[in-house]
């Protein structure tokens, strides 16, 4: 993380996660002097990884992050900074005293209903005997699930997990949360469909360190942004909470946050990286065993997290934007404030109040940096958002 005299002006970036690192590097290479500030004592944001001193396991400190994308440019980009090892996310779930495979696939269906159906038989069985075809236009999460898999699979694998994750009944959530129900009528248990999938060999933090190791970039940790800090900079890229930039003057946008109960284990605790718990009487949503996120490594000991979801309080780390009716209304008001502001562009998950996968975050950061350079060349106003959050 080095710095040198800027030839094109000074840029301030708030947030040393993926958005800030990608934008910062691109602009530094284009001749700007870049200062990146972050309130935490480390880079990487919620992607931060570090090795556990006792076990040697690479720990995803803020919960697991699995890289998957169909965007070849983004895949090539991350591999410039770190070698991505092959990794397929194969999730298991405990329900009704048994362990099943997710997403729901032919093995799950046959095991759950104690059958040995072929793909066409299973499809017909779900469509004709399980799915509630009277629901023609699903409006809620519950209706979407009932329409496509039926009551039994919905209650076993989706209802309880969703209630714990979002803190409300699935009938209160929009159908869009379950955009496409992951049901497969074959034995494919790879959680993602994407062409490129993997894990950084030495963790995400090492990857982001290499992104930031660029002439023209200065990183200041343990530094909380304030409006006065923007003085003297040509432009600010803000990856913090959108409402926080305006001191929450209109109220706070809603988030869910996660609590992690970390524990060590002598040996292999659960035999897989992710075990979901779909039943409401189990207070946590899942257990993650971090050594299984790096199957190319061998570790005798293990580090595990139990995950608990709850409504975020002001002092909590925000994870998932709620984006229900009242939040969208408030978001629209903040977007108006942002569009009226000058000299600032809002980026990333918090800055645009959207849940973003890592590949989309990187894609939008690249496009934003390029868009900024182009706007400067043309002498036009840099927008508050390169991707509209509403």
């Amino acid at each position: 993380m080095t710095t040198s005299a800027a030839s094109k002006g000074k840029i301030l970036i708030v947030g040393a996660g993926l958005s800030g690192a990608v934008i910062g590097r691109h602009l530094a290479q284009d001749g700007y002097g870049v200062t990146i500030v972050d309130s935490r004592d480390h880079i990487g944001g919620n992607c931060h990884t570090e090795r556990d001193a006792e076990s040697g396991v690479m720990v995803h400190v803020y919960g697991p992050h699995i890289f998957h994308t169909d965007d070849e440019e983004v895949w090539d980009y991350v591999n410039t900074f770190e070698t991505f090892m092959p990794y397929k996310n194969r999730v298991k779930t405990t329900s009704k005293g048994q362990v099943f495979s997710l997403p729901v696939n032919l093995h799950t269906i046959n095991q759950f209903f104690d059958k040995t159906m072929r793909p066409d038989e299973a499809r017909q069985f779900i469509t004709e005997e399980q799915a509630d075809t009277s629901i023609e236009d699903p409006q809620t999460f519950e209706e979407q699930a009932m329409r496509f898999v039926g009551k039994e699979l919905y209650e076993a694998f989706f209802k309880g997990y969703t209630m714990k994750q979002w803190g409300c009944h699935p009938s209160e959530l929009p159908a869009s949360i379950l955009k496409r129900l992951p049901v497969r009528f074959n034995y494919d248990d790879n959680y993602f469909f994407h062409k490129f999938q993997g894990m950084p060999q030495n963790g995400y933090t090492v990857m982001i360190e290499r992104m930031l190791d660029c002439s023209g970039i200065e990183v200041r940790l343990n530094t909380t942004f304030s409006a006065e800090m923007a003085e003297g900079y040509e432009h600010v890229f803000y990856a913090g909470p959108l409402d926080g930039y305006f001191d929450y003057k209109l109220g706070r946008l809603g988030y869910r946050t996660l609590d992690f109960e970390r524990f060590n284990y002598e040996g292999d605790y659960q035999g897989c990286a992710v075990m979901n718990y779909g039943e409401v009487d189990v207070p946590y949503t899942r257990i993650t065993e971090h050594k299984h996120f790096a199957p190319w490594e061998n570790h005798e000991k293990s580090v595990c997290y139990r995950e608990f979801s709850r409504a975020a309080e002001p002092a909590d780390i925000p994870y998932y934007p709620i984006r229900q009716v009242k939040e969208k209304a408030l978001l629209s008001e903040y977007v108006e404030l942002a569009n009226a502001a000058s000299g600032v562009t809002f980026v990333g998950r918090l800055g645009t109040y959207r849940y973003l996968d890592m590949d989309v975050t990187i894609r939008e950061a690249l496009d934003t940096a390029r868009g900024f350079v182009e706007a400067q060349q043309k002498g036009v106003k840099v927008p508050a958002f390169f991707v509209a959050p509403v």
Side-chain angles (χ1 to χ4, degrees):
M1 304 177 195
T2 58
T3 185
S4 65
S7 61
K8 289 189 174 182
K10 296 169 63 180
I11 301 295
L12 178 63
I13 297 176
V14 181
L18 283 173
S19 294
V22 172
I23 293 171
R25 185 178 183 89
H26 189 93
L27 295 185
Q29 289 180 323
D30 198 60
Y32 290 89
V34 176
T35 300
I36 301 177
V37 299
D38 199 293
S39 60
R40 305 189 205 187
D41 62 358
H42 59 75
I43 64 171
N46 284 2
C47 297
H48 177 57
T49 51
E50 61 184 30
R51 284 210 181 270
D52 175 57
E54 181 182 353
S55 65
V57 170
M58 182 64 74
V59 177
H60 297 228
V61 177
Y62 300 96
H65 288 72
I66 300 158
F67 202 91
H68 52 97
T69 188
D70 284 327
D71 190 327
E72 189 166 0
E73 183 189 7
V74 168
W75 180 249
D76 290 342
Y77 183 83
V78 295
N79 275 274
T80 301
F81 302 102
E82 173 62 348
T83 299
F84 273 68
M85 303 294 285
Y87 179 82
K88 297 293 176 67
N89 193 31
R90 292 187 164 89
V91 177
K92 306 300 178 185
T93 184
T94 297
S95 179
K96 299 182 183 297
Q98 295 187 67
V99 175
F100 297 91
S101 176
L102 288 181
V104 173
N105 58 66
L106 188 55
H107 191 186
T108 315
I109 295 168
N110 277 329
Q111 180 185 353
F112 187 82
F113 292 105
D114 195 22
K115 295 180 180 293
T116 56
M117 294 179 285
R118 298 190 301 273
D120 53 349
E121 292 174 327
R123 189 183 299 274
Q124 183 178 6
F125 171 75
I126 294 296
T127 302
E128 296 181 0
E129 298 187 39
Q130 296 296 314
D132 186 348
T133 55
S134 68
I135 304 173
E136 296 182 0
D137 184 21
Q139 296 298 307
T140 69
F141 183 107
E142 183 171 65
E143 288 179 349
Q144 179 86 346
M146 295 286 283
R147 172 65 180 81
F148 288 100
V149 299
K151 182 179 180 180
E152 292 186 70
L153 290 175
Y154 159 64
E155 292 188 344
F157 301 123
F158 299 101
K159 182 179 179 179
Y161 189 94
T162 303
M163 290 173 67
K164 292 186 291 186
Q165 182 73 5
W166 292 99
C168 63
H169 195 276
S171 62
E172 300 175 51
L173 296 170
S176 59
I177 290 181
L178 207 59
K179 293 178 181 177
R180 181 174 62 180
L181 202 63
V183 177
R184 299 175 186 161
F185 295 100
N186 57 32
Y187 290 102
D188 181 7
D189 64 349
N190 181 3
Y191 200 82
F192 301 114
F193 285 98
H194 293 119
K195 179 179 180 181
F196 305 106
Q197 302 179 41
M199 285 287 198
Q201 186 173 21
N202 297 294
Y204 291 104
T205 296
V206 167
M207 179 185 79
I208 294 172
E209 282 176 350
R210 290 171 180 162
M211 289 180 183
L212 296 173
D213 186 15
C214 177
S215 177
I217 295 178
E218 177 187 2
V219 179
R220 301 175 185 171
L221 301 178
N222 297 306
T223 304
T224 301
F225 172 76
S226 64
E228 293 76 21
M229 293 175 62
E231 295 177 7
Y233 290 94
E234 183 173 335
H235 199 80
V236 175
F237 290 91
Y238 185 82
L242 173 60
D243 49 353
Y245 182 84
F246 298 100
D247 294 323
Y248 309 100
K249 62 190 294 183
L250 303 177
R252 287 182 177 270
L253 292 167
Y255 282 93
R256 300 291 290 176
T257 191
L258 296 175
D259 294 321
F260 301 108
E261 183 180 282
R262 175 173 169 161
F263 63 97
N264 297 334
Y265 188 77
E266 297 288 334
D268 192 346
Y269 181 76
Q270 62 187 19
C272 64
V274 180
M275 178 68 74
N276 285 1
Y277 290 85
E279 295 168 331
V280 177
D281 57 355
V282 178
Y284 40 88
T285 55
R286 64 181 183 175
I287 295 177
T288 55
E289 187 165 11
H290 291 236
K291 70 179 179 181
H292 293 301
F293 292 115
W296 59 90
E297 298 181 355
N298 293 307
H299 301 284
E300 290 295 325
K301 299 180 179 181
S302 202
V303 177
C304 303
Y305 278 16
R306 293 186 183 93
E307 289 189 17
F308 301 80
S309 177
R310 61 176 173 82
E313 298 293 333
D316 291 325
I317 296 172
Y319 279 82
Y320 305 108
I322 295 174
R323 292 185 71 94
Q324 290 184 268
V325 174
K326 67 176 183 178
E327 283 81 19
K328 285 187 176 181
L330 183 58
L331 173 61
S332 295
E333 295 181 39
Y334 274 118
V335 167
E336 287 185 21
L337 286 180
N339 286 329
S342 61
V344 59
T345 295
F346 298 88
V347 297
R349 176 178 54 93
L350 301 181
T352 63
Y353 193 61
R354 294 148 59 230
Y355 180 78
L356 302 176
D357 284 331
M358 288 181 289
D359 65 321
V360 178
T361 299
I362 293 171
R363 162 53 58 201
E364 292 187 1
L366 287 170
D367 292 347
T368 294
R370 292 164 180 166
F372 173 80
V373 172
E374 183 178 353
Q376 294 293 86
Q377 291 171 345
K378 293 180 177 179
V380 299
K381 183 179 184 295
V382 180
F385 302 97
F386 280 87
V387 178
V390 292

